[in-house]
């Protein structure tokens, strides 16, 4: 599973002015990522605004993404939800051609116990023909997947191969790294935390800022994985301000503003999200220009 070491990018979903999916923009974005030498792509994760897409739109996006990628780099599909039975049915019906794994966020809103989270992922594992990445993002789900639950799942289900960890809890990362099976992958879910997490033993990142700056970000991650933190540190520090800015008024509105400036795709988002303020947009553009210089 070393193909998932390095930079994965959680792709945004470009929209036209009328709110429809912009497939030309999506094609541009996929090619932009591959030209930027990222290691793999994630289609319809949280950053892809999957919660505002209907089933037919998601199916078309997954198929189109696999077609455009054409096997050039690995693909991961975001398949999550808080209705376990419905999610299991979606996974069973998912067309796996062109995809290498699924990424499944822990159930949101319900606030299940750790046993509930375990049983949810047990059902996901048993229904999936593809390897599974857990996704712990308490800031969005309102519940944490504990280190104990993560390692229990990793030990009990061989097709659960890693976790995208966005808890910002370094004690939890330590526990996972200490107790996990040897080949289970810890992946950063927060761009600014990627360097210290790799220093601890993580194998990479599933990134948001990589949408806009794939070359700069993936270069930095490769240096980290090579153990050259002295060379990686200046790149890491140079990206702190742009990363802060793109999340200042919500994700993915910020990174879409950067992508619009770069000519990759537009900045439209779907309600309840809205485009960022003009002041923040100006600041993001200025920071992108500085990084390009």
């Amino acid at each position: 599973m070393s193909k998932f070491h390095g930079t994965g990018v959680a792709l945004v979903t470009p929209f036209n002015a009328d709110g429809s999916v912009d497939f030309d923009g999506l094609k541009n974005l996929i090619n932009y990522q591959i030209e930027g030498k990222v290691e793999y792509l994630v289609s319809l994760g949280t950053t892809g605004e999957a919660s505002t897409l209907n089933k037919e739109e998601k199916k078309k996006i997954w198929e189109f993404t696999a077609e455009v990628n054409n096997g050039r780099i690995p693909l991961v599909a975001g398949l999550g939800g808080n209705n376990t039975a419905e999610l299991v049915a979606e996974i069973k019906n998912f067309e796996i051609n062109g995809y290498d794994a699924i990424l499944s966020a822990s159930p949101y809103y319900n606030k299940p116990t750790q046993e509930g989270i375990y049983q949810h992922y047990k059902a996901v594992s048993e229904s999936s023909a593809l390897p599974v990445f857990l996704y712990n993002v308490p800031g969005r789900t309102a519940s944490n997947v504990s280190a104990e639950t993560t390692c229990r799942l990793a030990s009990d289900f061989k097709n659960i191969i890693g976790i995208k960890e966005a808890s910002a809890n370094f004690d939890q990362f330590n526990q996972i790294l200490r107790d996990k099976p040897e080949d289970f992958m810890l992946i950063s879910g927060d761009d600014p935390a990627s360097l210290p997490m790799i220093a601890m033993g993580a194998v990479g990142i599933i990134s948001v800022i990589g949408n806009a700056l794939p070359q700069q970000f993936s270069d930095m991650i490769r240096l980290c994985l090579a153990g050259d933190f002295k060379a990686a540190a200046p790149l890491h520090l140079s990206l702190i301000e742009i990363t802060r800015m793109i999340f200042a008024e919500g994700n993915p509105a910020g990174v879409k503003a950067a992508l619009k400036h770069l000519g990759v795709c537009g900045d439209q988002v779907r309600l309840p999200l809205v485009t960022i303020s003009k002041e923040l947009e100006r600041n993001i553009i200025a920071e992108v220009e500085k990084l390009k210089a």
Side-chain angles (χ1 to χ4, degrees):
M1 290 294 135
S2 61
K3 60 188 172 184
F4 298 116
H5 290 201
T7 302
V9 171
L11 296 170
V12 305
T13 299
F15 296 116
N16 294 304
D18 64 0
S20 61
V21 177
D22 176 10
F23 286 99
D24 289 337
L26 181 55
K27 181 178 180 179
N28 290 342
L29 179 65
I30 293 165
N31 288 327
Y32 181 63
Q33 299 306 307
I34 294 171
E35 290 162 8
K37 302 190 185 307
V38 304
E39 275 71 34
Y40 61 100
L41 301 174
V42 178
S43 176
L44 297 185
T46 306
T47 300
E49 296 177 73
S51 61
T52 66
L53 295 162
N54 63 42
K55 289 182 179 180
E56 187 58 33
E57 287 173 323
K58 290 195 286 188
K59 184 174 185 291
K60 287 180 179 178
I61 289 168
W62 279 320
E63 290 175 349
F64 183 82
T65 300
E67 179 185 335
V68 172
N69 180 56
N70 194 27
R72 287 180 287 174
I73 60 176
L75 283 183
V76 178
L79 285 153
N82 64 344
N83 179 336
T84 305
E86 183 179 350
L87 176 59
V88 164
E90 187 177 14
I91 291 170
K92 287 180 177 178
N93 291 324
F94 178 68
E95 177 52 64
I96 67 172
N97 288 340
Y99 285 84
D100 299 86
I102 68 169
L103 173 70
S104 193
S106 180
Y108 59 90
Y109 188 79
N110 311 58
K111 297 182 76 172
T113 64
Q114 293 303 306
E115 185 60 29
I117 291 170
Y118 176 88
Q119 294 297 333
H120 171 85
Y121 276 122
K122 178 177 185 288
V124 168
S125 169
E126 292 175 346
S127 64
S128 179
L130 291 172
V132 175
F133 285 105
L134 313 176
Y135 181 14
N136 184 35
V137 55
R140 289 184 179 271
T141 64
S143 68
N144 180 54
V145 182
S146 71
E148 292 81 5
T149 299
T150 294
C151 293
R152 182 184 172 198
L153 287 162
S155 297
D156 290 354
F157 303 100
K158 296 306 179 189
N159 69 332
I160 295 180
I161 61 171
I163 183 167
K164 178 184 177 183
E165 251 292 350
S167 66
N169 184 336
F170 276 78
D171 183 55
Q172 183 155 303
F173 305 156
N174 279 328
Q175 291 181 56
I176 292 169
L177 288 163
R178 181 191 65 193
D179 299 335
K180 72 178 183 67
E182 184 178 358
D183 57 353
F184 182 80
M185 291 176 278
L186 175 65
I187 295 172
S188 173
D190 290 309
D191 288 323
S194 54
L195 184 148
M197 285 184 69
I198 292 171
M200 294 166 65
V203 301
I205 170 82
I206 293 177
S207 173
V208 175
I209 192 59
N211 277 280
L213 301 168
Q215 184 79 60
Q216 294 96 320
F217 198 81
S218 61
D219 282 350
M220 186 270 289
I221 296 297
R222 278 187 288 273
L223 286 169
C224 291
L225 289 172
D228 192 350
F229 292 99
K230 184 175 181 180
L235 294 172
H236 165 74
L237 295 172
S238 74
L239 294 166
I240 287 176
E241 189 61 18
I242 187 64
T243 303
R244 183 194 66 76
M245 286 181 183
I246 67 162
F247 287 100
E249 294 181 9
N251 182 46
V255 77
K256 279 189 169 182
L259 286 164
K260 179 183 178 181
H261 173 68
L262 291 164
V264 178
C265 62
D267 65 347
Q268 294 292 323
V269 289
R270 281 186 175 177
L271 289 171
L273 300 181
V274 294
T275 54
I276 62 173
S277 65
K278 291 300 180 185
E279 181 182 2
L280 180 59
E281 183 180 11
R282 285 192 295 271
N283 291 338
I284 286 174
I285 289 170
E287 191 66 19
V288 168
E289 286 301 307
K290 186 168 79 173
L291 290 165
K292 285 170 59 183

